[in-house]
Amino acid sequence: MPVNGDEHRETAVAALADRDYGAAGEAYSRAAWRCLAEPRDGMSPFAADDRGWVGSGLAWTATAATAYRVAGRNARAARKAVEGVAVARDLRATTDDDAQAACFAEFVADCKAAGGLDGVADAYETAADAYREVGAALEEPTEPTTTPLYQAAADLARHVARGSANGEIVLEWDHRCPACGSSDVNWVADGTYCLRCSTPMDAD
């Protein structure tokens, strides 16, 4: 189902198609602000929400930071990332849902990575610890992954792909997965993994 801000996201996607990453960053910023202010009509971003519709706003914030970096606007990317970190931390502090709190912790790490900020590895480790605690407590650990919040986090990883053909935001990368040959990769904490099969990219 749509969330507020989708209209600006469409503008961002069109800018990406033209490789106008600066314009894409601005459109994703507008989409993020719209969603974070009111994820859906009449919905407060701070109200209890077991679906996590606000996740799209966080994902678009991180995507905006990435677009700015690709455009060579590193200072603006860093500021956008700081914004995303602050919002994700605030939302994590206001939720009573441990599964959502873990996902917000991951968004903190994603925003740090997108903007080239310090502390990326530590942030991902914090998120991983939170996910492990949640997984141990839930009877069905996969249940939260079907919510819009978790889907937004997953879509972010797919959308900002490191590859030559498949990612909508393309970063230069000249290595290939030793297992499946894909050039699409994802950086997690201190490791680099294949986006297709999760094999470490430095594996023999």
Side-chain angles (χ1 to χ4, degrees), residues 2-16 22-38 56-57 60 63-64 159:
V3 296
N4 288 332
D6 273 335
E7 67 278 15
H8 298 303
R9 176 186 174 277
E10 292 176 3
T11 301
V13 170
L16 290 179
E26 292 174 355
Y28 273 119
S29 293
R30 295 181 69 188
W33 290 332
R34 177 83 169 89
C35 181
L36 291 171
E38 188 180 42
S56 291
W60 291 335
T63 306
H159 189 66

Side-chain angles (χ1 to χ4, degrees), residues 81-148:
V82 168
E83 174 188 323
V85 168
V87 173
R89 283 176 171 165
D90 190 37
L91 290 169
R92 187 184 187 196
T94 60
T95 184
D96 294 326
D97 187 316
D98 290 340
Q100 289 192 358
C103 196
F104 287 136
E106 182 181 0
F107 273 120
V108 169
D110 289 339
C111 288
K112 282 177 173 283
L117 304 182
D118 293 334
V120 174
D122 288 343
Y124 275 118
E125 188 59 35
T126 296
D129 288 342
Y131 278 128
R132 281 190 284 268
E133 291 180 9
V134 169
L138 290 176
E139 292 184 6
E140 180 49 69
T142 61
E143 182 178 352
T145 64
T146 63
T147 65

Side-chain angles (χ1 to χ4, degrees), residues 106 110 124 153-171 173 175-188 191-202:
E106 182 181 0
D110 289 339
Y124 275 118
D155 288 345
L156 172 61
R158 287 191 291 267
H159 189 66
V160 186
R162 281 79 171 183
S164 59
N166 300 311
E168 292 181 65
I169 297 181
V170 180
L171 305 184
W173 182 254
H175 296 274
R176 290 194 173 274
C177 174
C180 71
S182 172
S183 60
D184 297 336
V185 306
N186 190 29
W187 284 281
V188 179
T192 305
Y193 300 87
C194 176
L195 195 62
R196 298 292 185 87
C197 69
S198 298
T199 297
M201 293 297 277
D202 57 357

